[in-house]
Amino acid sequence: MSAEWEGVRWDGVGSAAVAVRIDIEAFGEAIRPATREAASALRRAGAVSGLEEAGGGAQAVVRDGARILQPWIGIVDGAFTGECECRGDGGLCAHAVAVALAAFDDDLRWSGAAVPPSAAEVPSERLRYAAAVERLAPRQLAALVVDQAADDRLFATVLLRTAGMLDAADHEDAQRRLRVLVETSAVVTRGPYWEISHVEEAGLRLAAEATVLCELPATTEALDLVERAILVWDGLAGHLIDAHEVRGVDPEEVGNPLVEAYIDLFEQLDPDPAELSQRLSQLADKCPNGTVDLDVL
Ligand SMILES: [Zn+2]
């Protein structure tokens, strides 16, 4: 369902892809009063969550009674355009307007040439998966998701985060797991009976657990743990470099996700790029085997 509202104020001339300033008052006046009131009521009820930029516009999850929708709203061809699963009656629906109001409050940047979800180019593989999802009964879909979550910690964490269900225990659990892995990895090559596959296995588990930790709200403890994981891995990576003819895992297959996790957590805690590059160069100095490669970053 698409609906349009004319009357966006443009920030000067030039490319339509530039961010535009919205006349919020004019937007409110152009919406039908009943829709405006319904949208405001949704916001007052705390029904709008998970607001994010999407395709140059905004989307969020809106709970309207028993229905859970994910409307999108953006500026297409100079006019506000909404798409919503409610398939409303032609105008912008209250759900899309509620998302717009939340986006105004959040100072979200609007592109002057947004791409609505229905017009976005989707790789054919994803279209096929989406078609499969539409053919499933909700109970079948739920069972598949639950099975996948039980098998895959990263998927489970993303699922819980998306549903707003992560709690302190999840956080402690993820940190404890990474701490144990860092400690056991640090000693994997001690003693006479270790093989290169043990190093590879330890590295892949470190990378996987650090990636899970990134899905949780960042803390300094998590950042410190990932830093320790990088240092331990850099030590182990020396063995993989020596074993380049027989190894099945390249050092960067572990090092890159660890460094990405570090950067991700750091940026959440401290968005200053100068601070980050300083910390990375200090870390690089402590990594003789090149796990933190400033030339690549
Ligand atoms: Zn709607």
Side-chain angles (χ1 to χ4, degrees):
M1 178 72 248
S2 271
E4 293 185 353
W5 172 76
E6 308 272 344
V8 177
R9 288 224 179 131
W10 298 83
D11 251 0
V13 287
S15 154
V18 297
V20 290
R21 190 168 48 213
I22 309 298
D23 185 338
I24 295 171
E25 215 167 292
F27 174 83
E29 282 163 9
I31 304 298
R32 283 173 300 178
T35 306
R36 197 171 59 212
E37 184 39 48
S40 299
L42 286 169
R43 294 215 57 218
R44 280 197 302 276
V48 182
S49 63
L51 176 73
E52 59 188 353
E53 189 278 334
Q59 73 179 13
V61 176
V62 177
R63 282 160 207 274
D64 183 3
R67 286 191 301 180
I68 304 174
L69 308 152
Q70 192 179 36
W72 178 92
I73 185 162
I75 300 157
V76 182
D77 297 330
F80 267 98
T81 301
E83 287 190 357
C84 182
E85 295 130 303
C86 75
R87 303 181 201 285
D89 57 2
L92 282 171
C93 72
H95 312 115
V97 172
V99 172
L101 297 178
F104 297 154
D105 272 3
D106 230 42
D107 268 340
L108 186 124
R109 278 172 70 84
W110 299 87
S111 160
V115 180
S118 63
E121 265 185 51
V122 183
S124 61
E125 188 188 47
R126 293 180 72 95
L127 284 176
R128 192 155 172 249
Y129 297 154
V133 166
E134 287 196 355
R135 290 170 73 121
L136 296 179
R139 281 187 60 190
Q140 287 179 294
L141 184 60
L144 278 175
V145 170
V146 169
D147 283 349
Q148 182 66 22
D151 273 354
D152 180 339
R153 272 183 43 72
L154 179 59
F155 182 83
T157 309
V158 172
L159 173 68
L160 293 172
R161 192 203 61 205
T162 308
M165 286 173 62
L166 284 174
D167 57 29
D170 293 306
H171 215 275
E172 276 162 32
D173 183 50
Q175 292 200 13
R176 184 188 54 77
R177 283 167 185 264
L178 185 56
R179 192 175 305 115
V180 169
L181 279 176
V182 167
E183 282 159 12
T184 54
S185 301
V187 296
V188 85
T189 56
R190 281 202 199 140
Y193 304 115
W194 63 272
E195 293 168 17
I196 210 70
S197 65
H198 300 156
V199 173
E200 293 171 336
E201 197 184 314
L204 293 174
R205 290 178 67 192
L206 279 175
E209 206 51 53
T211 307
V212 169
L213 205 50
C214 279
E215 296 299 329
L216 294 141
T219 61
T220 48
E221 292 97 315
L223 185 70
D224 290 346
L225 264 176
V226 174
E227 181 168 331
R228 281 176 58 199
I230 289 173
L231 296 173
V232 164
W233 174 248
D234 194 70
L236 292 175
H239 297 293
L240 284 197
I241 293 168
D242 293 342
H244 63 95
E245 283 176 354
V246 292
R247 73 187 184 213
V249 173
D250 290 333
E252 56 269 26
E253 284 178 61
V254 174
N256 289 356
L258 285 177
V259 174
E260 279 163 23
Y262 183 84
I263 293 172
D264 185 354
L265 291 170
F266 195 96
E267 285 177 339
Q268 288 181 55
L269 292 166
D270 178 0
D272 179 359
E275 195 69 29
L276 175 61
S277 65
Q278 196 193 342
R279 284 285 289 267
L280 284 173
S281 84
Q282 285 168 357
L283 200 48
D285 288 343
K286 296 184 206 161
C287 290
N289 288 312
T291 298
V292 181
D293 186 347
L294 297 176
D295 292 336
V296 174
L297 291 165

